[in-house]
């Protein structure tokens, strides 16, 4: 940092213009102090006695010192005022000496001429654009001082030559020293001007970049005066969105660009503006209106922001008409889907109950026929009755499974459930079949999660029942139920050593009514695994299968520990 920079460190936070004024004043005061010191000292030395001007020079030195002290302490206005007073005092005192006390003294004439030339040089340094201008003025001033001094020497008595020559030489040195000091002032100013121009170019570049970004964004931008709320700037996208020119946008009010139906009126907009100014950023939806009267939905982000030298209210507006239309369509579709699902569930429930009654009668009468008239029928008749009863039983099972499938998610009591409880319920229901097949069931402790106990019992029952059903002949089934916690999910596996299935059917087995084997091989309706999948998906989980023909199957279930309601997604 330069000496001037250290002395003026209190101005670091000030704007550029004040810093430059302070620097210029520092150099001018320094020149003034040096000029007064040189004038008094050199003149007195050359004369061999105290010069008559030493008293005014002392006053100027004191005033300059006080000015310098005020300037260094950051008091620019008092310092500049005192500097002006010092210059005025110097001029007035100089005029007094030239017109009164030393009116006919050639030595004082050359001194007065030197002071005037000093002022000319300093003024030139302040206004010159090129160094050649200042250099020419310094050379001219030195020549004028020398020529003027030589010309005045003709009026000096020979006895006073020595005194006059001493004063003349001191004034010539005074003008030369002033030229040297003002050269430093000039270079300092030129450096500051170069910095200012560089900053101005950077500022223009930044302004151009800002304008490019400002007008390139896909959102409409308003800049409001923070005190009055008037629009002071807009971007091109705003003009496109509201179908106005920039001039029209700057003269419009927010009310003219709003739907003006509660709660989207001018007064409501003023309330939002006030909250953004006093409470902080505001984000809300608004019904806007363009110049043609077309209304459209926008999302408004309103906040305080410093833009340039002033604080403003920045408003970013995004057209969300398509999103709102999509939301409305989704809402309508959701309502229609819920209505359709409700009707479908009601139909499935009613149909199941309505179908159960005639089936019960058919089966009851079939039992009566077999009991009362079985002995009178031949073998073929008894076979027909057996077919009828078997078909009726399969139909009842199918209807019961369909009813259970349709009720998943509609009737449920979700609570924190230890899965071991549901597994115990399933094993109790399968106890006889387990014993009959001599199955070995291995289990590890299962976690607790949010679920319906009946549905989880059904899940385990279906999976274990499948493992018991699709076992290898003459080999006891070995079923393993294990689990682990993976983050916020529970991973449950049910594996067996059964007949397995081909990998190409991995997805097909979970489709309703899809069977991989004929009814003559294995009983069932083809709904069991579809029920399992629906239970799992209702809880926000997934189920998949891995299998190899002849080696067994493995079902992997992944469930959230806290229930995730899929109906609330999106």
């Amino acid at each position: 940092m330069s000496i001037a920079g250290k002395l003026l460190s209190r101005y670091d936070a000030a704007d550029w213009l004040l810093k430059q004024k302070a620097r210029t004043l520092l150099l001018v005061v320094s020149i003034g102090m040096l000029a007064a010191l040189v004038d008094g000292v050199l003149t007195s030395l050359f004369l061999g006695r105290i010069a008559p001007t030493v008293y005014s020079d002392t006053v100027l030195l004191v005033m300059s010192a006080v000015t310098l002290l005020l300037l260094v302490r950051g008091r620019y206005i008092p310092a500049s005022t005192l500097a002006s007073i010092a210059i005025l005092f110097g001029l007035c005192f100089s005029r007094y000496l030239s017109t009164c006390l030393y009116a006919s003294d050639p030595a004082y004439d050359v001194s007065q001429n030197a002071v005037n030339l000093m002022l000319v040089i300093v003024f030139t340094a302040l206004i010159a654009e090129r160094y050649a201008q200042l250099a020419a003025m310094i050379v001219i001033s030195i020549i004028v001082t020398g020529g003027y001094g030589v010309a005045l020497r003709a009026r000096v008595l020979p006895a006073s030559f020595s005194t006059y020559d001493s004063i003349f030489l001191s004034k010539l040195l005074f003008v030369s020293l002033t030229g040297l000091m003002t050269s430093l002032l000039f270079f300092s100013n030129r450096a500051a001007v170069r910095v200012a121009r560089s900053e101005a170019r950077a500022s223009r570049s930044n302004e151009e970049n800002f304008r490019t970004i400002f007008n390139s964004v896909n959102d409409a931008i308003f800049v409001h005066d923070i005190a009055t709320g008037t629009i002071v700037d807009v971007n091109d996208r705003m003009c496109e969105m509201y179908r106005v020119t920039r001039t029209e946008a700057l003269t419009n009010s927010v009310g003219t660009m709003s739907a003006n139906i509660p709660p989207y009126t001018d007064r409501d907009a003023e309330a939002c503006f006030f909250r953004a100014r006093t409470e902080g950023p505001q984000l809300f939806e608004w019904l806007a209106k363009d110049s043609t009267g077309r209304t459209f939905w926008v999302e408004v982000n309103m906040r305080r922001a410093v833009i340039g030298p002033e604080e403003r209210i920045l408003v970013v507006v995004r057209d969300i008409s398509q999103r709102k239309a999509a939301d409305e369509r989704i809402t309508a579709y959701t309502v229609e889907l819920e209505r359709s699902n409700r009707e479908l569930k009601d139909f499935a429930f009613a149909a199941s109950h309505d179908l159960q009654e005639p089936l019960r009668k058919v089966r009851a009468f079939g039992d009566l026929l077999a009991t009362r008239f079985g002995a009178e029928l031949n073998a073929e008749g008894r076979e027909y009755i057996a077919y009828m009863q078997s078909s009726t039983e399969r139909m009842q099972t199918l209807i019961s499974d369909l009813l259970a499938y349709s009720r998943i998610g509609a009737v449920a009591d979700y609570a924190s459930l230890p899965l071991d409880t549901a597994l115990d319920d399933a094993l109790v229901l399968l106890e006889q079949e387990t014993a009959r097949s001599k199955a070995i069931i291995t289990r590890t402790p299962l976690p607790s999660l949010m679920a319906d106990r009946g549905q989880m019992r059904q899940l385990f029952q279906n999976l274990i029942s499948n493992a018991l059903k699709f076992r290898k002949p003459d080999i006891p089934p070995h079923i393993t139920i294990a689990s682990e916690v993976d983050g916020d999910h529970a991973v449950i596996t049910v594996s067996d050593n059964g007949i397995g299935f081909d990998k190409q059917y991995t997805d097909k087995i979970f489709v309703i009514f899809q069977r991989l084997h004929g009814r003559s091989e294995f009983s069932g309706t083809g709904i069991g695994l579809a029920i399992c999948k629906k239970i799992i998906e209702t809880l926000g989980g997934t189920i998949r299968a891995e299998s190899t023909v002849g080696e067994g199957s493995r079902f992997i279930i992944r469930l959230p520990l806290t229930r995730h309601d899929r109906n609330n997604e999106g």
Side-chain angles (χ1 to χ4, degrees):
M1 182 182 291
S2 64
I3 296 176
K6 292 179 179 178
L7 291 174
L8 301 177
S9 59
R10 290 179 180 267
Y11 297 87
D12 289 344
D15 61 73
W16 175 86
L17 182 59
L18 181 59
K19 285 192 289 188
Q20 183 57 26
K21 286 180 178 179
R23 181 182 289 271
T24 301
L25 182 59
L26 176 66
L27 291 173
V28 170
V29 170
S30 301
I31 292 171
M33 289 182 68
L34 187 60
L37 185 63
V38 168
D39 182 53
V41 172
L42 289 181
T43 304
S44 298
L45 287 175
F46 286 136
L47 289 176
R49 55 184 172 80
I50 296 176
T53 58
V54 73
Y55 304 107
S56 64
D57 290 337
T58 302
V59 174
L60 287 174
L61 277 171
V62 172
M63 296 179 72
S64 298
V66 175
T67 300
L68 190 61
L69 180 61
L70 291 171
L71 187 62
V72 170
R73 292 178 65 85
R75 307 289 299 279
Y76 176 79
I77 294 178
S80 60
T81 302
L82 186 58
S84 301
I85 293 173
I87 293 172
L88 183 60
F89 167 78
L91 290 174
C92 291
F93 190 74
S94 175
R95 182 52 54 191
Y96 163 72
L97 292 178
S98 64
T99 57
C100 299
L101 189 59
Y102 302 105
S104 60
D105 189 345
Y108 193 79
D109 278 350
V110 75
S111 298
Q112 184 66 36
N113 177 69
V115 172
N116 291 336
L117 288 172
M118 180 198 78
L119 296 175
V120 170
I121 292 172
V122 172
F123 179 74
T124 302
L126 293 175
I127 66 170
E129 180 66 23
R130 308 263 180 207
Y131 180 67
Q133 295 174 268
L134 177 62
M137 188 56 62
I138 293 172
V139 171
I140 291 171
S141 297
I142 293 173
I143 293 173
V144 168
T145 301
Y148 190 64
V150 172
L152 285 182
R153 197 171 189 275
R155 293 167 45 190
V156 179
L157 295 175
S160 303
F161 279 167
S162 176
T163 301
Y164 178 81
D165 289 344
S166 298
I167 294 175
F168 167 64
L169 183 59
S170 70
K171 299 311 174 188
L172 189 62
L173 290 173
F174 170 77
V175 172
S176 300
L177 186 60
T178 300
L180 177 62
M181 294 298 295
T182 50
S183 296
L184 297 177
L185 172 64
F186 176 83
F187 283 122
S188 175
N189 282 341
R190 290 304 94 196
V193 168
R194 282 195 298 272
V195 171
R197 286 175 175 170
S198 175
E199 291 180 353
R201 285 193 296 270
S203 178
R204 285 194 297 271
S205 177
N206 290 338
E207 174 67 18
E208 291 172 358
N209 293 337
F210 169 77
R211 276 288 157 190
T212 299
I213 297 172
F214 187 65
N215 290 318
S216 299
V217 295
N218 201 35
D219 296 328
I221 300 178
F222 296 78
V223 180
H224 292 258
D225 184 275
I226 195 168
T228 63
T230 55
I231 301 172
V232 297
D233 200 4
V234 296
N235 68 342
D236 292 345
R237 176 57 180 153
M238 180 271 160
C239 298
E240 296 173 7
M241 187 181 295
Y242 288 85
R243 301 182 184 181
V244 293
T245 64
R246 189 172 186 276
T247 302
E248 291 172 338
L250 296 180
T251 56
N252 284 344
S253 67
V254 176
T256 60
M257 292 179 284
S258 301
N260 272 325
I261 54 176
Y264 309 108
T265 64
D266 197 5
R267 181 172 296 181
D268 298 311
E270 290 176 0
C272 295
F273 187 90
F274 177 78
R275 288 195 297 271
R277 186 174 60 188
T278 59
E279 299 176 9
Q282 303 291 310
L283 181 65
F284 53 91
E285 293 183 354
W286 191 259
L287 189 58
K289 181 178 67 176
D290 63 20
S291 61
T292 65
R294 178 185 68 93
T295 58
F296 56 100
W297 284 100
V298 295
E299 182 181 74
V300 181
N301 189 328
M302 186 180 291
R303 64 180 61 227
R304 297 170 73 120
V306 177
I307 301 176
E310 299 181 38
E311 191 171 26
R312 304 288 193 185
I313 293 294
L314 180 67
V315 182
V316 180
V317 177
R318 176 169 296 177
D319 189 339
I320 58 170
S321 299
Q322 293 183 354
R323 190 180 79 189
K324 291 289 284 188
D327 289 344
E328 291 174 359
R329 288 195 297 270
I330 291 173
T331 301
Y333 292 155
T334 301
V335 171
E336 178 62 23
L337 184 61
E338 288 177 350
R339 184 195 62 79
S340 177
N341 285 342
R342 189 167 53 251
E343 292 179 353
L344 184 61
K345 288 177 182 178
D346 292 342
F347 170 78
F349 188 76
S352 298
H353 279 277
D354 290 345
L355 288 172
Q356 291 275 18
E357 182 60 27
L359 281 174
R360 281 194 293 268
K361 290 184 177 180
V362 170
R363 185 168 186 177
F365 283 112
D367 290 340
L368 285 173
L369 283 174
T371 302
R372 294 185 180 182
F373 305 103
E376 301 176 13
L377 297 174
N378 56 21
E380 187 177 7
R382 287 193 295 272
E383 186 178 1
Y384 290 159
I385 293 176
Y387 286 153
M388 179 183 68
Q389 290 178 315
S390 175
S391 298
T392 304
E393 183 179 358
R394 287 201 307 273
M395 189 65 178
Q396 282 184 314
T397 303
L398 180 60
I399 291 172
S400 297
D401 288 346
L402 278 174
L403 181 60
Y405 185 82
S406 68
R407 290 168 63 90
I408 294 173
V411 179
D413 181 17
Y414 294 105
S416 180
L417 173 70
L419 291 181
D420 283 310
T421 304
L423 178 58
D424 290 339
D425 294 342
L427 292 176
V428 168
L429 293 176
L430 295 170
E431 189 173 5
Q432 292 183 359
E433 189 173 350
T434 303
R436 186 167 52 252
S437 62
K438 299 180 182 180
I440 301 171
I441 297 179
T442 305
R443 56 189 287 185
T444 62
L446 303 179
S448 298
L449 49 79
M450 294 296 294
D452 177 80
R453 180 170 179 172
Q455 290 183 0
M456 297 309 294
R457 187 266 307 157
Q458 183 74 57
L459 171 71
F460 286 123
Q461 182 179 345
N462 288 2
L463 292 175
I464 296 172
S465 177
N466 268 12
L468 295 172
K469 182 193 304 183
F470 298 106
R471 62 180 183 271
K472 296 176 183 176
D474 302 325
I475 298 178
H478 186 184
I479 304 168
T480 302
I481 301 107
S483 73
E484 64 179 12
V485 175
D486 180 16
D488 57 354
H489 283 71
V491 179
I492 303 163
T493 58
V494 179
S495 54
D496 62 58
N497 61 341
I499 61 174
F501 58 88
D502 196 292
K503 292 181 180 179
Q504 64 177 316
Y505 301 119
T506 299
D507 295 326
K508 182 179 179 181
I509 60 174
F510 294 106
V511 179
I512 192 169
F513 299 134
Q514 294 295 322
R515 296 172 55 90
L516 303 184
H517 308 276
R519 288 190 181 89
S520 59
E521 297 178 85
F522 299 99
S523 62
T525 59
I527 299 179
L529 289 179
I531 290 176
C532 292
K533 183 178 182 182
K534 189 171 182 182
I535 291 173
I536 295 300
E537 291 181 346
T538 301
L539 294 173
T542 59
I543 181 171
R544 60 187 178 88
E546 298 175 352
S547 183
T548 302
V549 176
E551 296 184 9
S553 302
R554 183 168 178 257
F555 291 86
I556 302 99
I557 301 165
R558 185 178 177 86
L559 285 172
L561 296 174
T562 56
R563 183 169 178 261
H564 176 60
D565 191 346
R566 299 184 66 192
N567 295 327
N568 293 331
E569 288 182 353

